[in-house]
Amino acid sequence: METTKQQTEIEFRNYLKKMNSYRQAVGLLGWDSRTGAPKKGMIHRSEVIGTLSSELFQMSTSNEMANFLKELQQPEIFEGLSEVTKKSVEEMQKSYDKNMKIPKDEFKDFIVLRSKAENAWEEAKEKNDFSMFQPYLEKIVEFQKKFIGYRGYEGHPYNTLLDDYEPGVFVDTLDEVFGDLKEKLIPLVKGVTESKHQPKNDFLFAHFPKEKQRELSVAILKEIGFDFEAGRLDETVHPFAMGLNPGDVRVTTKYNESDFRVSLYGTIHEGGHALYEQNISEELVGTPLCGGTSMGIHESQSLFLEKFVGQNEKFLERNYSVIKKCSNGQFDDVTLEDFYFAVNEAKPSFIRIEADELTYCLHIILRYELEKALISGELEVKDLPDAWNDKMEEYLGIRPSHNGEGVLQDVHWSMGSFGYFPSYALGYIYAAQMKEEIIKDIPEYDELLLSGDNAKIRNWLTENVHKHGGMKKPAEIIKDITGGGINSEPLVNYLTEKYSRLYQL
Amino acid sequence: METTKQQTEIEFRNYLKKMNSYRQAVGLLGWDSRTGAPKKGMIHRSEVIGTLSSELFQMSTSNEMANFLKELQQPEIFEGLSEVTKKSVEEMQKSYDKNMKIPKDEFKDFIVLRSKAENAWEEAKEKNDFSMFQPYLEKIVEFQKKFIGYRGYEGHPYNTLLDDYEPGVFVDTLDEVFGDLKEKLIPLVKGVTESKHQPKNDFLFAHFPKEKQRELSVAILKEIGFDFEAGRLDETVHPFAMGLNPGDVRVTTKYNESDFRVSLYGTIHEGGHALYEQNISEELVGTPLCGGTSMGIHESQSLFLEKFVGQNEKFLERNYSVIKKCSNGQFDDVTLEDFYFAVNEAKPSFIRIEADELTYCLHIILRYELEKALISGELEVKDLPDAWNDKMEEYLGIRPSHNGEGVLQDVHWSMGSFGYFPSYALGYIYAAQMKEEIIKDIPEYDELLLSGDNAKIRNWLTENVHKHGGMKKPAEIIKDITGGGINSEPLVNYLTEKYSRLYQL
């Protein structure tokens, strides 16, 4: 009997390993498609990815999976399982439920709609014409509502969507946390905008050759502790980081010769994601737990590195010489102070992905509020552009002149991704909470960045975040670090202190 | 009824498409492993490749496959199938038979042995100690004999092995063709070796920076018509070309800064393989016919490009300026004649992969004769080193001083690949036969290479070889081109004429 139990656990883990092999293959195919696969092969590539992905989906909903889950969740068996297997069972049960509750035919229709909607969105964005996208978005919202109906919800229907990206985080928490944040940020942004003390920044846009930016990216990745024996750096149009397994984590970046910050901070940002993936405990390889535990926690790691390391004054002091060495001489007469102020410039802008750390969360809160209202039915799709523009004006003091720089700017909704945006702001909030705690454990934080001896900081992140992979949920990670819950105060304090100082408010 | 028949054909083709998707995924994983995948991820990579490969094997031997093959081969159904489906059925039946005839357990043991043997071979080669490898090779030969027993054979047991790489080519043909070739080559090599007229060649070994070699490789690939929108060039340790589909064909090369010929001719060689894969008819995509029809025909294309294009005097005349431009000035005082003679230098050497076109086939014939004798039982593994050295002396006039430069030099036998070597020599023979015919259709061949207008030559190869993929067997391709069979005379004539001229025999 004992042996049979153990045997089932072994078979289940082997089944998960097999699924993981498929996931790695699909990952590599995706990485390759986005980094240098020949154009003419792409038509066949989608077929390959489609075949393996649908195989993976079938494995997650197969009778075999159902039997494993049923058997392993019998109380007397479950308690004897290893912790990793227990969490894996829970994870697979959750995705099983989700995948089984939505009728396959309807999900297929949704997939087809998505792909049409993405095309429609692209054209609509190009022509700044929301009406071209509106009917598709209406259908997508309808599908989302229907799916929530199938899946059920507690409290607010939007909670079910949040659960896909940030399990354990609900609307009532977000309303409170985002509400506080908004209240504090709006006057701070206003102060910065109106300040007479603004940075010089022309040197940021001087020609910086691509090859030299690549050199700088490699140097900085090494500086932050990215392991090049367990990863690589490539060029792409839309940068991303991808962990196939902890020994193979791939960072991509984009080189803009008229604005080197795109690659420098893009690389550090993706490098932060990569450090997470490289330092997940080896024992989780081959399970669904071998990855970031949520979108928000993942984003906290990329933002921690980008904001609290990459934009830190001491880090820049240490690395200014290598930045100068790689450049064309444009920084030779620029003081460190001016450089630091310039790369930390903050001002309201229309486009989220170009926003600075001060204004970024307001872009997200706006989207969160609109999504929630669409899902609850308080807002109709046709009224979305005006609602967007009104909020932009209220939060950032600027009003888009057309929908291309407003409601049409992001791809997410056309892909049916609702509930995803909040993770970006949560990442900021989590990162600031971590920063507040790390300073207590490592008071010499700034000195370590100045000396380049970053291992202690990285190890702190590994111990508290990275190594756990999916073994701890987001709220658990935050609780274990801070002793409390999600809280926007550390972020508010950090931004208030930093930008009051920089802009002499 | 009609509809059912068509339905089965459609389902079979979809099944093949699915297999092809797996094959492309495995291909990409392999390419990635050999071109730049991070070292630390490799341990997990083998698991991913293993999972997908074994899935692919299972699909080729599944009940579903058996049913397809049975149903589609009913005479009244078979005759109604498209030509592509017919050939695909034949192809899959052949691999089904092969895979089913060998007991799965024994094949598994063989796989395990192979991997141990490869390690043993590596160590034996490093230490020049054949006795370390001997017991493994003995077992591999035993397995091969047993497998041939299961699979059956006609005429000579070695025919069954040949069939894996060069279907339709048998021992009696090879004995005749290789016999003729050997008889003519031995005295020619002797003449060249003893000639007083030898090329100057020091400039070949002058420093040639890697980046510049890469530039040259790209330029030359474009020159021979490689489509960079349907392929790419990367660096690797053991160069290869890989066609995932005709729109995605990847060439790899190796840069030796002290001998640029390694990359120049390596790239052209792999480029020849790539032209084959890029120009296979689109209608074969997603079937087992979308690839080279045999190892030998594939090699004929790489060798055609390498020898009859890349080493052609007119081609070099046209491209000497770009070679000079990419180099460090080492060719500035070297006449085209001297350069041409140097890159066509011929002399006996121990290592097959470093051999020139004149001596290469003798390396292969030696291996063919030894393999055949091992399989028939006329030769025992323990006597292999002496047999090898004796033949080296007889064919090339040199005797290895240790087994590392003799019997231990190639990886093939440790991988259980018997019957593979003859394809290399067949490639030379086929290529020379094609060259003889192409001159009749395109008498201005040399002028086209001089002007760079190579499309006509490439189209000839596409029409006669590339586009057919696996639709024509090797013998059929040769028959349709020459009206006859495999014949070493064109190769002998080419080599005799060229080397008598170069070495003033």
Side-chain angles (χ1 to χ4, degrees), chain A residues 17-18 21-22 32 36 38-41 44-45 47-48 51 55 227 229 231-232 245 247-248 250 285, chain B residues 17-18 21-22 32 36 38-41 44-45 47-48 51 55 227 229 231-232 245 247-248 250 285:
Chain A
K17 257 192 212 162
K18 188 173 162 186
S21 288
Y22 276 75
D32 182 70
K39 202 169 86 173
K40 289 182 181 167
H44 303 300
R45 176 57 57 85
E47 173 124 8
V48 178
T51 300
E55 200 69 24
D227 180 357
E229 289 197 347
R232 49 183 287 169
N245 61 63
D248 189 346
R250 300 172 182 220
V285 173
Chain B
K17 258 192 212 163
K18 186 174 163 187
S21 288
Y22 277 73
D32 183 70
K39 204 170 83 172
K40 290 183 181 168
H44 303 300
R45 177 57 57 86
E47 173 124 10
V48 178
T51 301
E55 201 67 27
D227 179 356
E229 292 198 344
R232 50 183 286 169
N245 62 62
D248 188 347
R250 300 172 182 220
V285 173

Side-chain angles (χ1 to χ4, degrees), chain B residues 29-188:
Chain B
L29 287 156
W31 168 83
D32 183 70
S33 303
R34 294 158 77 183
T35 53
K39 204 170 83 172
K40 290 183 181 168
M42 282 304 98
I43 182 169
H44 303 300
R45 177 57 57 86
S46 10
E47 173 124 10
V48 178
I49 293 180
T51 301
L52 297 185
S53 302
S54 104
E55 201 67 27
L56 195 51
F57 180 82
Q58 276 167 36
M59 278 188 262
S60 76
T61 53
S62 65
N63 290 336
E64 210 173 340
M65 177 60 84
N67 290 336
F68 278 131
L69 294 175
K70 198 174 153 195
E71 196 172 334
L72 292 172
Q73 282 179 104
Q74 290 169 31
E76 72 282 10
I77 295 185
F78 190 77
E79 74 187 79
L81 300 175
S82 73
E83 284 309 303
V84 173
T85 305
K86 279 183 189 167
K87 291 274 181 193
S88 299
V89 167
E90 287 165 6
E91 207 61 41
M92 295 318 297
Q93 183 67 57
K94 197 173 156 183
S95 84
Y96 182 84
D97 290 342
K98 182 182 164 188
N99 292 333
M100 293 303 277
K101 278 181 181 162
I102 297 174
K104 288 204 172 26
D105 281 355
E106 286 186 37
F107 193 72
K108 220 168 163 182
D109 292 345
F110 178 60
I111 302 284
V112 173
L113 170 65
R114 268 198 330 199
S115 126
K116 288 184 189 159
E118 217 178 313
N119 292 334
W121 165 77
E122 254 179 52
E123 211 185 326
K125 186 183 174 187
E126 214 181 286
K127 301 192 172 151
N128 298 326
D129 182 356
F130 184 73
S131 72
M132 294 173 72
F133 180 47
Q134 185 182 321
Y136 294 93
L137 186 56
E138 279 165 352
K139 279 185 208 139
I140 281 176
V141 171
E142 279 323 300
F143 264 113
Q144 288 293 7
K145 286 182 182 170
K146 225 175 357 171
F147 290 170
I148 294 169
Y150 294 133
R151 295 173 64 189
Y153 67 91
E154 279 177 46
H156 193 287
Y158 191 77
N159 280 336
T160 298
L161 301 175
L162 274 179
D163 189 57
D164 289 339
Y165 304 102
E166 209 60 23
V169 174
F170 306 104
V171 161
D172 48 5
T173 307
L174 286 190
D175 283 347
E176 193 188 317
V177 172
F178 284 178
D180 286 351
L181 189 56
K182 187 169 75 172
E183 195 190 309
K184 304 287 173 29
L185 284 184
I186 293 176
L188 188 57

Side-chain angles (χ1 to χ4, degrees), chain A residues 257-383:
Chain A
E257 298 200 321
S258 316
D259 189 350
F260 78 103
R261 292 175 305 173
V262 174
S263 74
L264 176 60
Y265 285 106
T267 301
I268 299 178
H269 182 94
E270 301 307 334
H273 284 305
L275 290 181
Y276 194 173
E277 298 279 338
Q278 283 188 336
N279 292 298
I280 292 173
S281 169
E282 269 289 328
E283 63 164 343
L284 300 179
V285 173
T287 76
L289 311 166
C290 191
T293 191
S294 74
M295 278 299 308
I297 295 291
H298 229 310
E299 200 66 12
S300 78
Q301 296 310 290
S302 54
L303 290 169
F304 191 97
L305 267 291
E306 184 183 347
K307 305 303 175 191
F308 299 121
V309 176
Q311 289 184 209
N312 176 293
E313 196 161 8
K314 296 298 173 192
F315 180 85
L316 288 174
E317 184 176 342
R318 172 175 162 82
N319 290 288
Y320 200 27
S321 59
V322 60
I323 294 171
K324 280 181 169 169
K325 206 193 75 192
C326 288
S327 76
N328 262 350
Q330 60 263 47
F331 309 121
D332 287 356
D333 302 325
V334 179
T335 65
L336 180 64
E337 286 73 15
D338 283 346
F339 185 80
Y340 170 70
F341 193 7
V343 298
N344 281 287
E345 181 179 20
K347 64 171 180 218
S349 63
F350 293 113
I351 305 298
R352 175 184 61 85
I353 57 168
E354 294 166 6
D356 52 78
E357 64 175 356
L358 179 65
T359 57
Y360 191 90
C361 286
L362 291 170
H363 288 267
I364 297 304
I365 293 171
L366 172 154
R367 284 158 178 78
Y368 164 68
E369 293 170 345
L370 295 176
E371 281 194 348
K372 209 176 47 160
L374 285 171
I375 295 298
S376 69
E378 290 156 75
L379 177 68
E380 283 184 59
V381 170
K382 71 173 171 50
D383 299 323

